[in-house]
Amino acid sequence: MKVGGIDTSRIEAMVAQLKAAGARMEANGLDGISSGTQAPGKLDFADALKASLDQVNRAQSSSQQLGEKFALGDDKVSLSDVMISMQKANISFQTTIQVRNKLISAYHDIMNMQI
């Protein structure tokens, strides 16, 4: 169904993807907390951070490629796809910035602790 040029089925599909990703993250987070030890096959913090940064980089690259295709007049790429891709990349980048800020804050708190 299209409302004002926006395909609502695509939006509903993205919402479903976000909910599924949230459920997976919640399940993985609870498993890591309850076990207390790192099971074989689980990522350590450095690997998880690198994977997250790689995912942000891929989102930004694909967003840029879609924008270039749209600017060059590719009929297969719609403006709404470009805008949604750019917003996804922006949100993931802003999330990364917030995580970085929290890590820096935690580092400063630890460094300022008296022993």
Side-chain angles (χ1 to χ4, degrees), residues 30-44:
L30 291 177
D31 288 342
I33 292 171
S34 63
S35 65
T37 60
Q38 185 174 354
K42 289 211 175 193
L43 296 175
D44 63 353

Side-chain angles (χ1 to χ4, degrees), residues 63-78:
S63 172
Q64 183 179 6
Q65 289 173 352
L66 273 178
E68 289 173 358
K69 286 180 183 178
F70 182 77
L72 293 173
D74 190 353
D75 293 335
K76 296 176 185 174
V77 180
S78 68

